[in-house]
Amino acid sequence: MAAVLHVIPVRTRRGRLERERERLAALAGGADVHVIDLPDGPRDLEYFVDDHAAVGQMLHILPGYAAAHAIGAVSVGCFYDPGLWELREALDIQVVGIGEASVILAGAVASRLAILVGGWKWVPKMEENVRALGLAHRVCAWRSIDRSVQAMQDDPEDSHQTVRREALATRDDDHAEAVILGCGALAGMAERLQGELGIPVIDPAAAGVLLAAALASLGLRTSKIGGYRSKG
């Protein structure tokens, strides 16, 4: 199986990369999963203006890293899915976003989907991404836990309890049949939440890596004859 690269498009806290690599490799059945961040990147991507810095750095770093490590596919670890068009144009290998992957995979297990995010500010851009996938009609609710990325990382147990409360509400009030965790900082909560809720809960980072691994295993690459045709 080809190696998969999961890029977290920010500068991460100490220890996160190794923890995430071990977790994702275990979920991917021991596949060769690489996890990197952007050492000079923004602290988080809560604001649109920070996307540009992150995308620029990914375009600079990923081609060389992918070639040096025989990467077969890339997962971009932010639910905004920053830089997908640019990276698909620049790289010969498949690139997926965790937001895109989460909605696609959730649609295979439920007809009514709820997406839980950190803040309401994030919803318009994410909603546009879902609409572009042609799957907006499957999303019955967007709910916010009113937490910044940094706050979620500072107190993961408090974040879990808040996510649980909103997830129960969307299950019972919105009739959601599956819940998507709409932020990379919420990755790792899905298994416990699924047991508590009794409905599918989609881990975004896992969805991205597993979809990327599947595409790499099938030998599928980005089509270069149209919108993703490379420069030069």
Side-chain angles (χ1 to χ4, degrees):
M1 180 182 292
V4 175
L5 172 61
H6 181 67
V7 54
I8 303 174
V10 296
R11 64 179 189 274
T12 61
R13 297 186 180 192
R14 185 186 302 273
R16 182 180 176 189
L17 293 182
E18 185 57 29
R19 289 194 303 272
E20 197 70 343
R21 189 201 66 78
E22 291 179 359
R23 188 180 74 87
L24 293 173
L27 290 171
D32 185 13
V33 177
H34 296 231
V35 180
I36 66 171
D37 66 349
L38 304 178
D40 298 319
R43 188 175 65 169
D44 56 54
L45 295 183
E46 292 186 19
Y47 293 90
F48 306 142
V49 294
D50 291 323
D51 281 10
H52 296 280
V55 172
Q57 290 186 43
M58 285 192 289
L59 287 168
H60 178 70
I61 292 170
L62 297 192
Y65 189 99
H69 296 276
I71 299 298
V74 174
S75 166
V76 179
C78 173
F79 210 85
Y80 275 146
D81 290 347
L84 288 192
W85 283 68
E86 295 87 347
L87 291 168
R88 286 170 176 166
E89 182 184 82
L91 298 173
D92 291 329
I93 57 178
Q94 183 61 54
V95 182
V96 303
I98 64 171
E100 169 189 62
S102 296
V103 176
I104 290 172
L105 295 181
V109 298
S111 60
R112 291 175 62 84
L113 314 175
I115 302 178
L116 304 188
V117 302
W120 284 113
K121 182 187 184 340
W122 309 0
V123 172
K125 184 174 183 180
M126 293 177 180
E127 198 168 30
E128 282 297 317
N129 289 344
V130 175
R131 188 174 292 113
L133 288 171
L135 294 170
H137 65 290
R138 303 289 293 277
V139 179
C140 65
W142 292 83
R143 284 183 174 253
S144 169
I145 66 168
D146 195 26
R147 297 286 191 285
S148 68
V149 170
Q150 298 303 310
M152 286 187 273
Q153 294 178 335
D154 287 341
D155 195 341
E157 180 57 30
D158 177 69
S159 296
H160 178 94
Q161 294 303 325
T162 306
V163 168
R164 179 180 180 274
R165 183 176 65 247
E166 290 298 327
L168 285 169
T170 200
R171 182 196 68 181
D172 298 340
D173 299 340
D174 304 317
H175 307 291
E177 300 168 357
V179 170
I180 298 169
L181 302 180
C183 181
L186 297 174
M189 292 187 183
E191 183 176 2
R192 178 179 167 190
L193 282 167
Q194 187 163 270
E196 294 169 338
L197 298 174
I199 60 174
V201 179
I202 307 301
D203 180 300
V209 166
L210 291 172
L211 181 57
L215 293 169
S217 296
L218 291 169
L220 296 175
R221 291 175 176 265
T222 302
S223 175
K224 295 292 186 175
I225 65 171
Y228 300 128
R229 186 177 66 208
S230 298
K231 184 178 179 180

